[in-house]
Amino acid sequence: QEKKIFTVQGPYPVIRRLLRARGWVERKLPGTGTRPQRNRGRQQQQLQEEEEGGDDGAEQGEVSCLVRDQVPYFIWTTRCSAADCQLLRQDQLLNHHPHVGTVTTKEGLCLSLRNLPWADQADPDTFFPRCYRLAAAEERQAFIEDFRLTAARSLLKVALERAEGMAQPPKSHEGPGECTELGHTGLQHPCPSLSPSPTAGPGPPLSPQLVEDALWVCEQHLGSLRHQDIDGDPLSPHMTDDDWDRFLRDYYRVVHEGAWLALRGEQQERCQALLRCLAERLPQLAMEGNSNIWILKPGAKSRGRGIVCTVRLEEVLRLAGGCAAPSAQAAKWVVQKYVERLLLIFGTKFDIRQWFLVTDWNPLTVWFYQDSYLRFCSRPFSLRCLEPARHLCNVSIQQRCRPARGRHPQLPPDRIWSCHQLQAYLAQVGQAGAWQQVMVPGMKAAVLGALRSAQEQMESRKGSFELFGADFAFGEDCQPWLLEINASPTMAPSSAVTRRLCARVQRDTLRVVIDRRDNPACPTGAFELIYKE
């Protein structure tokens, strides 16, 4: 009569325990009972015992049998199709919304954010690195043009830095036995096409004409950004594909192989002025760095599987299924600009897993969790070596990586920090206000921007709610960059920090979606209501 019957599918012992404490009874699904298994670790065994209810397991099993033919009014699963969602009654609570792939797949998020300027009059380029779906012919060509333009800007930056004495040609700073080639793509072995040839070297300075070509390209692009091509000031003809092939070959020699580049005085002044003007119109100019690194991602995979970093256009096109035209294989991939100018901690890359809860899509209602955790890489950050241990923060990836020799002693052995530890670190380095003034507001704006961009494609179901996990990296200026949004974020206790925080976010989720239905004034833990349409 009280409709306190629930079903949980998957490893969620905290949800089970909290619901039982509220007087709910579990209706077990066929085939979901746990069985003792050999060779299970202590953590896995503990999870099994929690699933079975500890000492109360037998009693719970008897009660569960009594409700096996009853309708569950709270359902928590790892996934649920849109069709299955529609089969449920409105009074059945479900921890999924239909069609969330529009924000939780890499391809879906990339496409949805195209709509943001119309949905919210916001610019996704201020929080989401440029991203292209390689299966779409127009986007594939747009990526090629973007890569070329970024190469031209990178050449100007490198030439200017060297002319001003701020940087020298790239040299390896890796330790003995470490990866030293810029072309390492995160595959099992470096791709030969990305590595400099044995005879490659600085050699004689390249002609100043290379800088002149880059200046011309960037001036044309700036004119386009100023809409001169629309307002009646026609631009010069574009470079041909053959021109670009020659330009990129010389660009690779300068930026990645250390070739010297002569820069005349008047060219230096033009570089400075042009880069200043471009910075006013390109929000990602600073974070994109000088190396033109792009990250190639399978469109619908998670946990870092299949991700590749590369610095060469031909390599992206080859890995995505051939250079000639989009293919069925390319449908698996999106390519995204890598954030090169990162906020690092003790020289090491990290990202943040930030939870948020959507309790309704119409009206859009969003809760932001005020606790989060950091995931560190195993090895120091390096743009000279693109191996996963330095660039992919996913726990499942880093668990397979050996920590670097001489790893900073203040980095956590389990590679996890809480956001409170980050705040303490920022205070130590003179950035005490960055978390509350820059990082958190930026993450909230990015989450809302992503949700607003997809809202019209979502189907609202009044009995649904969903907990998401957004992953953010941060630029040197502490501005957040949204990397992806995950459905069914892991609740596995991979560390002391995640054991504590994952239990809390599940507890507070139930406070919002169950307790507030009966008592709107009840505490919601660390969840903050940040948006209700």
Side-chain angles (χ1 to χ4, degrees), residues 226-240:
R226 289 171 170 169
H227 304 294
Q228 291 178 359
D229 52 341
I230 297 176
D231 297 338
D233 186 2
L235 302 179
S236 303
H238 293 288
M239 290 171 65
T240 66

Side-chain angles (χ1 to χ4, degrees), residues 114-135:
R114 299 265 196 277
N115 301 322
L116 183 58
W118 289 270
D120 204 28
Q121 296 185 341
D123 184 0
D125 281 351
T126 60
F127 65 84
F128 185 64
R130 306 189 299 278
C131 187
Y132 301 93
R133 300 172 303 141
L134 293 177

Side-chain angles (χ1 to χ4, degrees), residues 404-416:
R405 297 189 297 271
R407 180 176 167 86
H408 196 284
Q410 290 183 255
L411 287 170
D414 58 11
R415 307 178 187 91
I416 301 291

Side-chain angles (χ1 to χ4, degrees), residues 104 164 187 273 325 337 356 366 462 483 489-490 492 504 520:
T104 60
E164 294 174 346
L187 300 171
K337 184 65 189 74
F356 63 93
V366 186
K462 290 303 179 183
L483 305 179
T490 180
R504 289 180 183 175

Side-chain angles (χ1 to χ4, degrees), residues 79 104-106 298-307 353 394 396-397 471 484-488:
R79 63 179 59 87
T104 60
T105 63
K106 297 171 182 65
K301 289 186 178 180
S302 61
R303 301 194 298 276
R305 292 173 296 176
I307 292 179
R353 169 58 57 89
N394 308 70
S396 57
I397 295 292
D471 294 337
E484 63 184 23
I485 295 175
N486 299 277
S488 297

Side-chain angles (χ1 to χ4, degrees), residues 40 117 122 173 197 250 275 290 327 372 404 442 457 475 487 493 512:
R40 292 170 65 95
H173 297 286
S197 67
D250 287 341
L275 288 172
N290 299 354
S327 64
S372 53
Q457 304 168 61
V512 172

Side-chain angles (χ1 to χ4, degrees), residues 327-447:
S327 64
Q329 185 179 354
K332 303 175 184 177
W333 299 97
V334 299
V335 64
Q336 189 168 36
K337 184 65 189 74
Y338 186 75
V339 182
E340 298 181 27
R341 303 292 295 271
L342 284 164
L343 176 66
L344 304 176
I345 295 178
F346 304 123
T348 303
K349 180 181 177 181
F350 69 94
D351 69 11
I352 282 186
R353 169 58 57 89
Q354 176 62 60
W355 292 300
F356 63 93
L357 178 67
V358 177
T359 52
D360 206 336
W361 279 98
N362 185 22
L364 182 60
T365 308
V366 186
W367 300 76
F368 187 87
Y369 206 63
Q370 297 176 79
D371 278 333
S372 53
Y373 64 92
L374 285 66
R375 308 178 300 183
F376 285 92
C377 284
S378 300
R379 298 191 173 190
F381 181 73
S382 170
L383 295 178
R384 294 286 298 157
C385 181
L386 304 183
E387 62 177 341
R390 302 177 192 272
H391 295 277
L392 303 183
C393 299
N394 308 70
V395 171
S396 57
I397 295 292
Q398 293 303 321
Q399 285 176 338
R400 303 197 299 267
C401 299
R402 297 193 315 271
R405 297 189 297 271
R407 180 176 167 86
H408 196 284
Q410 290 183 255
L411 287 170
D414 58 11
R415 307 178 187 91
I416 301 291
W417 261 9
S418 71
C419 64
H420 302 288
Q421 290 171 289
L422 171 61
Q423 293 173 65
Y425 168 82
L426 291 171
Q428 291 175 5
V429 297
Q431 295 285 338
W435 178 254
Q436 293 295 343
Q437 297 170 16
V438 180
M439 301 169 87
V440 170
M443 288 192 290
K444 290 178 178 178
V447 164

